[in-house]
Amino acid sequence: LVLLILLAFYWFAVRPYSYRWKPCYGKQEYGICMPGNYDIHGIDISHHQGDINWTKLAESKETRYPIRFIFMKATEGGDFSDKRFQRNFKNARKHGFVRGAYHYFNPRTDAKKQADFFIKSVKLEKGDLPPVLDVEVKGKMPVGELQKKIKIWLDRVEAHYGVKPIIYTTRGFGNGYLSGELLKDYPRWIAHYNVEALRHNGKWHFWQHSEKGVLPGIKKKVDLNVFNGSSKEFQQLLIK
């Protein structure tokens, strides 16, 4: 019985994340072993990272894995604004990063109200990434109802900015609650940490592969991301 318990623990708790202990072979950067075969790297930030020294952060563009894009939390629910968003958003462009903004979705709040709040708060411009909807909880509502509320936000935001929004979620939540026909055509940004490769049921555009990044100019650890495509494909995704 003890042997079976140990085997089960290894299979479900250790084996999926064995990437943590693999040799890095010269791919060490930002305090972690970087995933291979990706040319475009980025981070995402919020007020949790505190004050950022943007001049120092710009040094990350000169590394082996240069940071090219930064997603920033803008809003949450129907009335919460990230207190550092406007400053971060302005500084990201000033220092030559491609910038993006995301909204954290609250399933208990009216979806139209959330969309209008994001639109009021975020002025996207040419060269910015499409708006992002961060969906990580569903509350007690059925999956179908959750997806309909999400679609209300997506449709209203797309109509305003003229570009299809990106859906951010974790791998498990996305596969469990955000699959199906209603949301299948939206670009995906998937969070899945400490694995060698992202295995997602469907096409994806961004992978948040670590929450332990150490970057110049940021005192706290930060999420690291890659874009799944070429430089040309990345440029095609940006707002025109």
Side-chain angles (χ1 to χ4, degrees):
L1 181 60
V2 172
L3 181 59
L4 286 174
I5 292 173
L6 290 173
L7 286 173
F9 177 79
Y10 170 79
W11 189 260
F12 293 107
V14 177
R15 183 190 59 84
Y17 305 104
S18 59
Y19 179 65
R20 295 177 182 177
W21 302 285
K22 287 186 176 180
C24 202
Y25 297 120
K27 293 163 56 180
Q28 186 83 14
E29 194 70 80
Y30 309 127
I32 70 159
C33 189
M34 300 292 285
N37 302 320
Y38 297 103
D39 296 326
I40 301 175
H41 299 262
I43 61 174
D44 58 276
I45 59 174
S46 71
H47 64 278
H48 293 295
Q49 273 67 49
D51 285 322
I52 293 174
N53 183 328
W54 285 88
T55 301
K56 292 288 291 182
L57 181 58
E59 294 175 6
S60 65
K61 292 188 289 185
E62 307 302 324
T63 67
R64 290 172 298 171
Y65 301 92
I67 297 299
R68 291 181 55 183
F69 64 88
I70 303 178
F71 285 112
M72 289 154 269
K73 183 176 183 178
T75 52
E76 178 177 336
D79 57 7
F80 176 83
S81 297
D82 188 290
K83 63 184 179 181
R84 299 186 189 275
F85 170 70
Q86 297 298 341
R87 187 189 320 167
N88 285 339
F89 203 60
K90 182 184 298 183
N91 275 311
R93 170 155 287 197
K94 178 181 177 181
H95 289 84
F97 296 101
V98 176
R99 60 189 187 173
Y102 71 87
H103 173 83
Y104 186 90
F105 190 75
N106 184 338
R108 297 185 301 274
T109 303
D110 180 76
K112 178 180 174 296
K113 179 181 179 180
Q114 294 190 66
D116 290 343
F117 181 53
F118 179 84
I119 290 167
K120 180 181 178 181
S121 304
V122 180
K123 310 303 179 187
L124 295 176
E125 301 176 6
K126 180 180 178 180
D128 290 335
L129 286 157
V132 178
L133 183 62
D134 177 347
V135 187
E136 301 180 50
V137 295
K138 77 176 190 70
K140 296 181 180 180
M141 68 179 57
V143 172
E145 184 180 346
L146 173 68
Q147 291 194 6
K148 287 178 182 177
K149 293 190 72 170
I150 290 170
K151 193 68 165 62
I152 290 171
W153 192 98
L154 295 170
D155 287 345
R156 194 164 185 83
V157 168
E158 182 174 356
H160 177 79
Y161 294 105
V163 62
K164 192 174 287 293
I166 299 167
I167 297 175
Y168 167 92
T169 192
T170 65
R171 177 178 177 266
F173 191 91
N175 289 339
Y177 304 115
L178 304 183
S179 58
E181 290 296 312
L182 191 63
L183 306 177
K184 70 179 180 63
D185 293 329
Y186 291 90
R188 293 295 176 113
W189 174 16
I190 306 295
H192 195 203
Y193 304 146
N194 302 310
V195 292
E196 191 166 9
L198 174 60
R199 295 176 177 86
H200 171 66
N201 296 339
K203 186 177 180 182
W204 60 273
H205 292 72
F206 294 92
W207 171 24
Q208 188 184 80
H209 59 86
S210 176
E211 79 283 35
K212 299 183 182 299
V214 179
L215 275 82
I218 303 180
K219 295 178 181 178
K220 296 185 178 181
K221 291 184 178 180
V222 65
D223 299 329
L224 297 174
N225 303 270
V226 293
F227 173 71
N228 186 29
S230 65
S231 292
K232 181 179 179 180
E233 290 169 324
F234 183 74
Q235 290 298 320
Q236 289 173 341
L237 187 65
L238 305 183
I239 293 176
K240 306 297 187 289

